[in-house]
Amino acid sequence: MLREDSAEYRVSLEEEFAAWQRSLPAEITSDPLWTCTAFPLATFAADRSWDDLTRLAADPRTASMADQLGRSLGGIGATYTEAYSRRSARDRCRYYEYAIGSAREARDWTFKARRIIGEERTREQLSLLTRIVQLLSVTIVRERPREAIQRKK
């Protein structure tokens, strides 16, 4: 087992997420939205990608990829926020569907950026984005208006 002060020590994604959450201001974490697991994960995914996006933007071959990846990562949490603030279940579902689309798009761009980001970092980010997609899928089913479900029968 490596010690934390060892040069080879690498924190797990879970440890990185926990440390990141502890660093955030109360104005962010005290919002009821923060209790929805997908939102903090989406915010974390976007925030942790900053260095990756900088490296992608520095290479002319991947500069446009950096823009697309940054927009899709940022769009997950932003659209989730919009959904959470909607009054009707129908509206919430529509925005959660937009958020899941952004998460899937970010997952696609992350995979395409793997040669710059690196295999381990890509694997971590893909895992994080897949978890967000799973959580949003459950949220959409839970929030879907009852009348829409009944009409499908």
Side-chain angles (χ1 to χ4, degrees), residues 12-36:
S12 69
L13 189 58
E14 293 80 16
E15 291 170 322
E16 182 184 346
F17 179 64
W20 173 81
Q21 282 195 96
R22 287 189 300 272
S23 74
L24 297 174
E27 292 82 3
I28 299 295
T29 60
S30 63
D31 190 302
L33 178 61
W34 201 257
T35 63
C36 304

Side-chain angles (χ1 to χ4, degrees), residues 9 12 18 22 39 48 57-58 71 75-76 79 82 84 86-87 89 92 95 102 116 119 130 132 136 143 146:
Y9 179 79
S12 69
R22 287 189 300 272
F39 180 71
R48 84 185 295 259
R71 287 173 186 268
I76 304 166
T79 311
E82 185 76 22
Y84 189 82
R86 294 294 170 156
R87 184 178 179 133
R92 283 191 301 276
Y95 282 90
S102 292
I116 301 292
E119 292 298 327
T130 297
I132 293 165
L136 283 167
E143 290 285 325
R146 292 190 191 278

Side-chain angles (χ1 to χ4, degrees), residues 13 16-17 20-21 24 34 37-53 69-70 72-77 102-103 106-107 110 117 121 124-133:
L13 189 58
E16 182 184 346
F17 179 64
W20 173 81
Q21 282 195 96
L24 297 174
W34 201 257
T37 307
F39 180 71
L41 290 176
T43 306
F44 174 62
D47 201 36
R48 84 185 295 259
S49 69
W50 189 265
D51 291 339
D52 299 333
L53 295 173
L69 179 56
S72 59
L73 284 166
I76 304 166
S102 292
R107 194 170 52 185
T110 297
I117 295 172
R121 183 89 170 165
E124 290 172 346
Q125 198 76 340
L126 290 175
S127 173
L128 186 56
L129 291 165
T130 297
R131 181 67 182 136
I132 293 165
V133 167

Side-chain angles (χ1 to χ4, degrees), residues 1-12 15-16:
M1 185 58 119
L2 296 172
R3 294 184 9 223
E4 283 189 47
D5 58 352
S6 167
E8 294 90 31
Y9 179 79
R10 172 122 168 84
V11 297
S12 69
E15 291 170 322
E16 182 184 346

Side-chain angles (χ1 to χ4, degrees), residues 83-96:
Y84 189 82
S85 303
R86 294 294 170 156
R87 184 178 179 133
S88 76
R90 187 178 312 273
D91 276 350
R92 283 191 301 276
C93 280
R94 185 176 69 232
Y95 282 90
Y96 288 137

